[in-house]
Amino acid sequence: MQPFTVHKGKVVGIDRANIDTDQIIPKQFLKRIERTGFGKFLFYDWRYLDGQILNPHFELNRPENEGATILVANENFGCGSSREHAPWALQDYGFQAVVAPSFADIFYNNCLKNGLLPIRLAKHDVEYLLHKSKRADYELTISLEEQRIYDESGFNRTFEIDSYRKQLLLKGWDEIDLTFMYESYIEEYEKNAGHLNE
């Protein structure tokens, strides 16, 4: 995982509530064994007409939203089944953060485990961001260290995040990387535990 410290990026809004994980990454693409390559299937049923032609009316397909790295959506984002492929698809597409009033719990935790930052903001703040995201050049800056999200027009909000998950994101570690930090202690314990069994 890459460390997440400060990110400034273009914003795209999808003003829909209850976007479930089967819309984020449909079930027919879950057979892949790699963690990469899911971005082209992100929001597949909305992005494509008949599975082939890009739908020009879908938000991600509009030329002004190309290169967006911050997604803003409405309540209960990531509901449905608990597939870890959903944050993989969002990341592989290029998103670094998702902002919504609320997230499904399992999806929220899967994001944090995979280096994608989910940010909960009040409903009226999300409505402001959804409105501003209609501008082709709208950008937000996110400082994880300060737990702050802001734009250049005076919008400035703080957000909550578990301190343990925050530290892992700042360092770019997953839980396996964290385990390696204690490798010498684990080896020492195993050595001593072996003596106890003799």
Side-chain angles (χ1 to χ4, degrees), residues 12-114:
V12 61
I14 301 180
D15 191 3
R16 305 183 197 196
N18 304 309
I19 295 176
D20 65 39
T21 52
D22 195 50
Q23 288 297 345
I24 296 170
I25 181 71
K27 59 185 177 299
Q28 66 264 33
F29 303 114
L30 305 186
K31 297 173 185 174
R32 296 173 56 86
I33 58 172
E34 307 89 352
R35 287 182 58 168
T36 58
F38 289 97
K40 60 187 171 186
F41 307 120
L42 179 69
F43 299 122
Y44 186 81
D45 294 331
W46 293 343
R47 281 173 69 197
Y48 297 95
L49 301 171
D50 298 325
Q52 298 176 351
I53 303 164
L54 285 173
N55 177 359
H57 302 294
F58 182 58
E59 292 86 345
L60 297 192
N61 294 340
R62 294 176 188 157
E64 65 269 23
N65 292 329
E66 186 177 352
T69 57
I70 299 171
L71 173 64
V72 179
N74 233 308
E75 297 101 337
N76 201 27
F77 189 85
C79 57
S81 64
S82 61
R83 61 193 68 169
E84 201 167 3
H85 305 73
W88 294 353
L90 288 159
Q91 279 184 303
D92 195 63
Y93 182 83
F95 288 115
Q96 303 288 313
V98 181
V99 181
S102 59
F103 295 90
D105 288 342
I106 294 174
F107 173 82
Y108 182 87
N109 288 316
N110 280 340
C111 285
L112 292 172
K113 288 178 183 177
N114 287 282

Side-chain angles (χ1 to χ4, degrees), residues 134-173:
K134 293 174 184 175
R135 280 181 24 200
D137 60 346
Y138 185 62
E139 292 185 327
L140 282 167
T141 301
I142 301 167
S143 169
L144 180 56
E145 183 63 51
E146 297 175 343
Q147 294 177 215
R148 191 164 64 95
I149 180 169
Y150 56 95
D151 65 16
E152 295 179 355
S153 303
F155 179 84
N156 191 337
R157 296 292 184 271
T158 57
F159 58 89
E160 297 297 318
I161 184 171
D162 176 79
S163 59
Y164 168 72
R165 292 293 176 192
K166 175 181 176 179
Q167 290 308 311
L168 290 182
L169 285 172
L170 285 169
K171 294 180 185 329
W173 292 349

